[in-house]
Amino acid sequence: MDTVYQSQINYQTANQEDLAEQLFLIEELGIPYLKVDEELHIQKWNHAFLEATKIKEADLTYTLDQLAEQQPFFAFCLDLLEETIQTKKRQEDDYEDEEANYRIRVAPFLAEESLYIILEDRSLQKQFEHLLTFHHQMEAVSHIAAGVAHELRNPLSVIKGFLQLAKLTNEFEKYYDTILSELNRMNGIIEDFLSVSRKKIDRKRQSPVQIMESLIEIINAECLLHDVELNIELTETSRLVHVNESMVKQVMLNLLRNSIEAYGETNKNRTLLIGTRIENEQYVVYVKDNGKGMPESVLKQIGKPFFTTKESGTGIGIPLCKKIIEDHGGSFRIESTYNVGTTVTVTLPLH
């Protein structure tokens, strides 16, 4: 028993020596601290503590109980002190208010029958985190702005095409409904991007065949204006997809515009194939053109944000399309061979 008792004394002595050494370092390094006795009377502090807490030295003539009634910071420290006194072990916790952010440690020093409140000021870290958050918000705004500009081009190009057709055929009334529909879609796109804080998107179960059929008139008009032969191969199904129709149409029209732009000025015998099939509980849509295609080096980069091979491109279109489809639980894949053409395959889960 004597040996065990002596071992405990030696262990406690070693611990107190370690703590004494730590307290010496705290003094030398100017770390903010406040020393109190077990009756919670304030015994000692350093200038760093006054600076960190903005406490007046005259206020420290009161007991900690009295200060706790007036200031939330000391009330927080009091709780930690009482827990330390009960457990005889070091306690620590984070304190935060509008102006300050501290890591507070309360350490018992049994040799002096006192306790030390030691502060780690994290206020600068908090300010840095706020700046970092603001930086990320600004980045998000730039992405959204590029996305808005890019997505508005699709309905604008459709409206332009139909107005040109209306002038050629002198049948404006025939295209009025489609033009008005695209204007409404533009308004919807703007509203979607203005409400970026709302993460939920309006989805409903609907026929993928009907969505594709509703695009045929628009796609056909675009192909006619650019001398592209359009082939449609739609597979019928009674099953439904759970999607935001406007977003899926954005993806399809973006792929259409990319295909038409891929032909260039000299490309002849332009053909575009849009088809669908059912595969592994997925509704598969593929868009195949015989444009210029892409070399392997470009194909590896094409899905990265802001990467573009177009002079006036934003590089946001393909990443945005990919994200829309993946958010719907589907997949987005691009295959391309230089001087042969490109195939984009989109899948959506069937219900």
Side-chain angles (χ1 to χ4, degrees), residues 207-226:
S207 167
V209 180
Q210 288 180 4
I211 293 174
M212 294 303 298
E213 286 177 343
S214 69
L215 289 168
I216 288 175
E217 187 179 0
I218 297 172
I219 294 171
N220 190 50
E222 191 79 5
C223 289
L224 281 171
L225 284 172
H226 293 89

Side-chain angles (χ1 to χ4, degrees), residues 162-185:
F162 273 92
L163 286 173
Q164 289 172 330
L165 278 174
K167 185 178 180 181
L168 288 171
T169 61
N170 200 27
E171 294 179 326
F172 180 76
E173 288 184 3
K174 180 180 178 180
Y175 305 109
Y176 173 81
D177 289 339
T178 304
I179 291 171
L180 187 63
S181 172
E182 288 303 298
L183 286 170
N184 288 332
R185 196 164 73 84

